[in-house]
Coordinates of all heavy atoms in Angstrom, one line a residue:
W7 N 71.4 -142.8 68.5 CA 72.6 -143.0 69.3 C 73.5 -144.1 68.7 O 74.7 -144.0 68.6 CB 72.1 -143.4 70.7 CG 73.2 -143.8 71.6 CD1 73.7 -145.0 72.0 CD2 74.0 -142.8 72.4 NE1 74.7 -144.9 72.9 CE2 74.9 -143.6 73.2 CE3 74.0 -141.4 72.5 CZ2 75.8 -142.9 74.0 CZ3 74.8 -140.8 73.3 CH2 75.7 -141.6 74.1
L8 N 72.8 -145.3 68.4 CA 73.6 -146.4 67.9 C 74.4 -146.1 66.6 O 75.5 -146.5 66.4 CB 72.7 -147.6 67.7 CG 73.4 -148.9 67.2 CD1 74.5 -149.3 68.2 CD2 72.4 -150.0 67.1
S9 N 73.7 -145.3 65.7 CA 74.3 -145.1 64.4 C 75.6 -144.2 64.6 O 76.6 -144.4 64.0 CB 73.3 -144.4 63.5 OG 73.9 -144.1 62.3
V10 N 75.5 -143.2 65.5 CA 76.7 -142.3 65.7 C 77.8 -143.1 66.2 O 79.0 -143.0 65.8 CB 76.3 -141.1 66.6 CG1 77.5 -140.3 66.8 CG2 75.2 -140.3 65.9
I11 N 77.5 -144.0 67.2 CA 78.5 -144.8 67.9 C 79.2 -145.7 66.8 O 80.4 -145.9 66.7 CB 78.0 -145.6 69.0 CG1 77.4 -144.7 70.1 CG2 79.0 -146.5 69.6 CD1 78.5 -143.8 70.7
T12 N 78.3 -146.3 66.0 CA 78.8 -147.3 65.0 C 79.7 -146.6 64.0 O 80.7 -147.2 63.6 CB 77.6 -148.0 64.3 OG1 76.8 -148.6 65.3 CG2 78.1 -149.0 63.4
N13 N 79.3 -145.4 63.6 CA 80.2 -144.7 62.7 C 81.5 -144.3 63.3 O 82.5 -144.3 62.6 CB 79.4 -143.4 62.2 CG 78.3 -143.7 61.2 OD1 78.4 -144.7 60.5 ND2 77.3 -142.9 61.2
F14 N 81.4 -144.0 64.6 CA 82.7 -143.6 65.3 C 83.6 -144.8 65.4 O 84.8 -144.6 65.2 CB 82.3 -143.1 66.7 CG 83.5 -142.8 67.5 CD1 84.3 -141.7 67.2 CD2 83.8 -143.5 68.6 CE1 85.3 -141.3 68.0 CE2 84.9 -143.2 69.4 CZ 85.6 -142.1 69.1
L15 N 83.1 -145.9 65.6 CA 83.9 -147.1 65.7 C 83.9 -147.9 64.4 O 83.2 -148.9 64.3 CB 83.4 -148.0 66.9 CG 83.4 -147.4 68.3 CD1 82.7 -148.3 69.3 CD2 84.8 -147.1 68.7
S16 N 84.6 -147.4 63.4 CA 84.6 -148.1 62.1 C 85.8 -149.0 62.0 O 86.5 -149.3 63.0 CB 84.6 -147.0 61.0 OG 85.7 -146.1 61.2
D17 N 86.2 -149.3 60.8 CA 87.3 -150.1 60.5 C 87.2 -151.5 61.1 O 88.1 -152.0 61.8 CB 88.6 -149.5 61.0 CG 89.9 -150.1 60.4 OD1 89.8 -150.8 59.4 OD2 90.9 -150.0 61.0
N18 N 86.1 -152.2 60.8 CA 85.8 -153.6 61.2 C 85.9 -153.8 62.7 O 86.3 -154.9 63.2 CB 86.9 -154.5 60.6 CG 86.9 -154.5 59.1 OD1 85.8 -154.5 58.5 ND2 88.0 -154.4 58.4
I19 N 85.3 -152.9 63.5 CA 85.3 -153.1 64.9 C 84.3 -154.1 65.3 O 83.3 -154.2 64.7 CB 85.0 -151.7 65.6 CG1 85.2 -151.8 67.1 CG2 83.6 -151.3 65.3 CD1 85.3 -150.5 67.8
G20 N 84.6 -154.9 66.3 CA 83.8 -155.9 66.8 C 82.8 -155.4 67.8 O 82.9 -154.4 68.4
W21 N 81.7 -156.3 68.0 CA 80.7 -155.9 69.0 C 81.2 -155.7 70.4 O 80.7 -154.9 71.2 CB 79.5 -156.9 68.9 CG 78.7 -156.7 67.7 CD1 78.7 -157.5 66.6 CD2 77.8 -155.7 67.4 NE1 77.8 -157.0 65.7 CE2 77.2 -155.9 66.1 CE3 77.4 -154.5 68.1 CZ2 76.3 -155.1 65.6 CZ3 76.5 -153.7 67.5 CH2 75.9 -153.9 66.3
V22 N 82.2 -156.6 70.7 CA 82.7 -156.5 72.1 C 83.3 -155.1 72.4 O 83.1 -154.5 73.4 CB 83.8 -157.6 72.3 CG1 84.4 -157.4 73.7 CG2 83.1 -158.9 72.3
A23 N 84.1 -154.6 71.4 CA 84.7 -153.3 71.5 C 83.7 -152.2 71.6 O 83.8 -151.2 72.3 CB 85.7 -153.1 70.4
L24 N 82.6 -152.4 70.8 CA 81.6 -151.4 70.8 C 80.9 -151.3 72.1 O 80.7 -150.2 72.7 CB 80.5 -151.8 69.7 CG 79.3 -150.9 69.7 CD1 79.6 -149.5 69.4 CD2 78.3 -151.5 68.6
I25 N 80.7 -152.4 72.8 CA 80.0 -152.4 74.1 C 81.0 -151.8 75.1 O 80.6 -151.0 76.0 CB 79.7 -153.9 74.5 CG1 78.6 -154.4 73.6 CG2 79.2 -153.9 75.9 CD1 78.2 -155.9 73.7
V26 N 82.3 -152.2 75.0 CA 83.2 -151.6 76.0 C 83.3 -150.1 75.8 O 83.3 -149.4 76.8 CB 84.6 -152.2 75.7 CG1 85.7 -151.4 76.5 CG2 84.7 -153.7 76.1
F27 N 83.3 -149.6 74.6 CA 83.3 -148.2 74.3 C 82.1 -147.5 74.9 O 82.2 -146.5 75.5 CB 83.4 -148.0 72.8 CG 83.5 -146.5 72.4 CD1 84.7 -145.9 72.4 CD2 82.4 -145.8 72.1 CE1 84.8 -144.5 72.1 CE2 82.5 -144.5 71.8 CZ 83.7 -143.8 71.8
M28 N 80.9 -148.1 74.7 CA 79.7 -147.4 75.1 C 79.6 -147.3 76.6 O 79.2 -146.4 77.2 CB 78.5 -148.2 74.6 CG 78.3 -148.1 73.1 SD 76.9 -149.0 72.4 CE 75.6 -148.2 73.2
V29 N 80.1 -148.4 77.3 CA 80.0 -148.5 78.7 C 81.1 -147.6 79.4 O 80.8 -146.8 80.3 CB 80.1 -149.9 79.2 CG1 80.2 -150.0 80.8 CG2 78.9 -150.7 78.8
L30 N 82.3 -147.7 78.9 CA 83.4 -147.1 79.6 C 83.6 -145.6 79.3 O 84.1 -144.8 80.0 CB 84.7 -147.8 79.3 CG 84.8 -149.3 79.8 CD1 86.1 -149.9 79.4 CD2 84.6 -149.3 81.3
F31 N 83.1 -145.2 78.1 CA 83.3 -143.9 77.6 C 82.1 -143.1 77.5 O 82.1 -142.0 76.9 CB 84.0 -144.0 76.2 CG 84.8 -142.8 75.8 CD1 85.7 -142.2 76.7 CD2 84.7 -142.3 74.5 CE1 86.4 -141.1 76.3 CE2 85.5 -141.2 74.2 CZ 86.3 -140.6 75.1
R32 N 81.0 -143.5 78.1 CA 79.7 -142.9 77.8 C 79.7 -141.5 78.4 O 78.9 -140.6 77.9 CB 78.6 -143.7 78.4 CG 78.6 -143.9 79.9 CD 77.5 -144.9 80.4 NE 77.4 -145.0 81.8 CZ 78.1 -146.0 82.4 NH1 79.0 -146.8 81.8 NH2 78.1 -146.1 83.7
D33 N 80.4 -141.2 79.5 CA 80.3 -139.9 80.2 C 80.8 -138.8 79.3 O 80.2 -137.8 79.1 CB 81.1 -139.9 81.5 CG 80.4 -140.8 82.5 OD1 79.1 -141.0 82.4 OD2 81.1 -141.3 83.4
A34 N 82.0 -139.1 78.7 CA 82.6 -138.1 77.8 C 81.9 -138.1 76.4 O 82.1 -137.1 75.7 CB 84.1 -138.3 77.6
L35 N 81.2 -139.1 76.1 CA 80.7 -139.3 74.7 C 79.7 -138.3 74.4 O 79.6 -137.8 73.3 CB 80.2 -140.7 74.5 CG 79.7 -141.1 73.1 CD1 80.9 -140.9 72.2 CD2 79.2 -142.5 73.1
S36 N 78.8 -137.9 75.3 CA 77.7 -137.0 75.0 C 78.3 -135.6 74.6 O 77.8 -135.1 73.6 CB 76.8 -136.8 76.2 OG 77.5 -136.3 77.3
D37 N 79.3 -135.2 75.3 CA 79.9 -133.9 74.9 C 80.7 -134.1 73.6 O 80.7 -133.2 72.7 CB 80.9 -133.4 76.0 CG 80.1 -132.9 77.2 OD1 79.0 -132.5 77.0 OD2 80.7 -132.9 78.3

């Protein structure tokens, strides 16, 4: 899970944005 998310959020993305993405976008993310 973490690797796919990390690859998706490239280009020097910060951990805060990663957490926001995982929390707010998790429903659509699985599909």
Side-chain angles (χ1 to χ4, degrees):
W7 180 263
L8 181 59
S9 179
V10 176
I11 297 298
T12 304
N13 285 331
F14 176 70
L15 299 173
S16 56
D17 195 21
N18 301 315
I19 189 164
W21 284 107
V22 174
L24 175 59
I25 294 172
V26 169
F27 182 84
M28 292 177 66
V29 173
L30 297 179
F31 203 46
R32 63 182 182 275
D33 292 336
L35 186 58
S36 60
D37 289 336

